[in-house]
Amino acid sequence: MIIGGKNFDTANHTYIMGILNVTPDSFSDGGKFNGMDAAIAHAHQMVEEGVDIIDVGGESTRPGHIQITDEEEIARVTPIIEVLKKEFDVPVSIDTYKSHVAEAALQAGADLVNDIWGLKYDKKMASVIAKYQAACCLMHNREKAEYQDFLKDFMDDMKECVRLAKAAGIEDDKIILDPGVGFGKTYEMNLEIIDKMEILNELGYPVLLGTSRKSVIGLTLDLPVTQREEGTMVTTVYGVQKGCAFVRVHDVEKNKRAIQMTKAIMRGHEV
């Protein structure tokens, strides 16, 4: 899989997508990197720690978030993307579900569109991605956590995301799937899909796991956002064991070490 001119061996490696929120109200680091200097400094740190993709978000998608206009979101993300592409040799992702924002970000140099609605929110999103021949990450989501048969319904939803992508002309080697932990699911459903995420493998696309600091970890461990690092790393290790090609995290260095250690144990050994 080629993203931003970089070759990703998704069958044999687990890569890190580092989160760069340039929002004042992100659930985990709201306002912390809401400014050019702070954002670029954080990106520099992630690059030094070995990040593989930098995911730029201009609107919080936490539960109860306030939607902003396309224009405001574009104003937040495009200057950051332009600088990232000039200063670092790392692919850049835009975290948005709006086609106008995605197109502006792609024009600014973004290489991948990370859509939390899996092409279902904005009917123009799939065609924009196809137009720029960009990679995309399609996440599972629902407005309400209501299912007849959770895993079957989940897979039907993901198949629809793929159908929308294919209908728009997005190539197979440009598609990543995300089970959508924390979106449109109950606490138990979130645990279930982490445990059963390998069912996505039957669709034949690389899988991205995004659990970093999320409520499923906070509820399990009864910990605030600032103390969910270890819980996140456990899910990263679990993702590696399940064959995930990408993990989307806030803490690059520690999760990269966890991946490296897990891979060392899993590989064949001559004793």
Side-chain angles (χ1 to χ4, degrees), residues 188-224:
E188 291 294 340
M189 289 173 182
N190 284 319
L191 290 174
E192 176 79 353
I193 203 57
I194 293 171
D195 185 38
K196 302 291 197 315
M197 72 180 97
E198 71 272 14
I199 66 171
L200 279 173
N201 293 339
E202 72 179 65
L203 298 182
Y205 299 97
V207 174
L208 178 147
L209 179 65
T211 60
S212 189
R213 304 181 186 174
K214 285 186 176 177
S215 63
V216 65
I217 296 169
L219 290 169
T220 301
L221 304 178
D222 191 24
L223 290 173

Side-chain angles (χ1 to χ4, degrees), residues 67-113:
Q67 191 176 58
I68 61 174
T69 65
D70 290 9
E71 290 72 24
E72 186 176 355
E73 192 173 347
I74 289 168
R76 287 180 181 179
V77 300
T78 52
I80 299 287
I81 292 169
E82 289 171 355
V83 175
L84 291 176
K85 293 301 294 183
K86 287 178 183 176
E87 294 202 12
F88 307 108
D89 186 24
V90 174
V92 173
S93 168
I94 176 63
D95 180 4
T96 189
Y97 51 91
K98 304 169 189 173
S99 63
H100 288 137
V101 178
E103 182 150 29
L106 291 167
Q107 289 175 348
D111 307 292
L112 183 152
V113 176

Side-chain angles (χ1 to χ4, degrees), residues 10-66:
T10 57
N12 297 297
H13 294 281
T14 303
Y15 298 95
I16 291 195
M17 176 183 280
I19 299 167
L20 182 59
N21 288 319
V22 289
T23 63
D25 58 345
S26 168
F27 84 96
S28 67
D29 51 14
K32 193 172 181 182
F33 309 114
N34 186 28
M36 180 66 76
D37 291 345
I40 298 306
H42 185 54
H44 193 276
Q45 178 186 344
M46 289 196 289
V47 170
E48 285 190 337
E49 292 174 351
V51 76
D52 299 295
I53 301 171
I54 297 175
D55 190 43
V56 179
E59 178 183 275
S60 173
T61 53
R62 64 187 173 87
H65 76 280
I66 298 172

Side-chain angles (χ1 to χ4, degrees), residues 149-170:
D149 180 327
F150 174 57
L151 291 180
K152 179 184 181 302
D153 294 351
F154 166 86
M155 286 299 288
D156 287 344
D157 289 349
M158 294 308 294
K159 288 173 184 175
E160 176 63 9
C161 292
V162 172
R163 188 196 69 76
L164 290 169
K166 299 282 285 179
I170 299 173

Side-chain angles (χ1 to χ4, degrees), residues 204-245:
Y205 299 97
V207 174
L208 178 147
L209 179 65
T211 60
S212 189
R213 304 181 186 174
K214 285 186 176 177
S215 63
V216 65
I217 296 169
L219 290 169
T220 301
L221 304 178
D222 191 24
L223 290 173
V225 167
T226 54
Q227 296 179 36
R228 298 176 186 173
E229 220 173 67
E230 298 93 341
T232 298
M233 289 165 64
V234 169
T235 63
T236 291
V237 169
Y238 210 70
V240 173
Q241 293 175 319
K242 295 284 187 174
C244 279

